Amino acid sequence: MTTSPPGARVAAGRFAARPTPVDAAIDVISVASSEAAGGGGTVLTAVTGVAIEETEPVFAGHYPDFPIFPGVCVVDCVERSALAVAERTGMAEPRLVAVESTRFLGAVYPGDLLTVRLEMRDHEGAVRCKALASTGRGDAASVRLRMAGKLA
């Protein structure tokens, strides 16, 4: 197992240059690589943090008197987290192919720290990314993404 050092804030890395509704930077907290049981290839596990500030532009319209971080923005944070991890580990040209599943489990509010726990592995010619996003109150969403590319 290899582990990268904590830190390395990624605001807009090489793969994150597309428009996003979220201003918050992705803070890669940890990345570890291991071999899957039974010779199933490499598995990356990672943790990122996203500070959801009260100044996020999405709060102006969602909802003005009771701001809630939109679910699509949680999915965006998961995707940007996966891209930050891909960049950190040297993955060549990853891009989102599909959001395979999403389940929203709890609300995200201004001032929350959104922690994203990722598991990424090669799967059927792409990279499958399973993620659990949570706040200090508990789980906020489970998301499964499929990305073009191959783990480095």
Side-chain angles (χ1 to χ4, degrees):
M1 174 175 5
T2 59
T3 303
S4 67
R9 187 163 219 172
V10 177
R14 190 173 64 174
F15 305 128
R18 64 164 179 73
T20 175
V22 181
D23 286 345
I26 304 297
D27 184 15
V28 178
I29 297 166
S30 67
V31 178
S33 175
S34 61
E35 289 298 315
T42 301
V43 176
L44 289 179
T45 54
V47 178
T48 66
V50 186
I52 309 302
E53 301 294 335
E54 295 175 5
T55 57
E56 281 292 338
V58 297
F59 289 130
H62 201 267
Y63 298 95
D65 295 328
F66 188 72
I68 298 175
F69 198 58
V72 69
C73 293
V74 174
V75 174
D76 182 75
C77 289
V78 169
E79 178 195 5
R80 290 175 50 228
S81 292
L83 290 172
V85 170
E87 183 173 358
R88 166 79 71 89
T89 60
M91 186 176 166
E93 302 300 321
R95 66 177 171 76
L96 181 66
V97 173
V99 177
E100 294 184 338
S101 70
T102 301
R103 185 171 184 191
F104 298 107
L105 307 167
V108 179
Y109 299 110
D112 280 347
L113 174 63
L114 188 67
T115 300
V116 181
R117 288 175 173 69
L118 302 149
E119 178 186 282
M120 300 170 69
R121 63 178 67 215
D122 290 322
H123 179 76
E124 298 178 356
V127 174
R128 175 167 280 165
C129 175
K130 294 182 189 177
L132 182 63
S134 60
T135 68
R137 288 177 307 284
D139 296 342
S142 65
V143 179
R144 194 172 66 220
L145 307 175
R146 188 172 59 235
M147 300 174 72
K150 184 170 177 53
L151 295 178

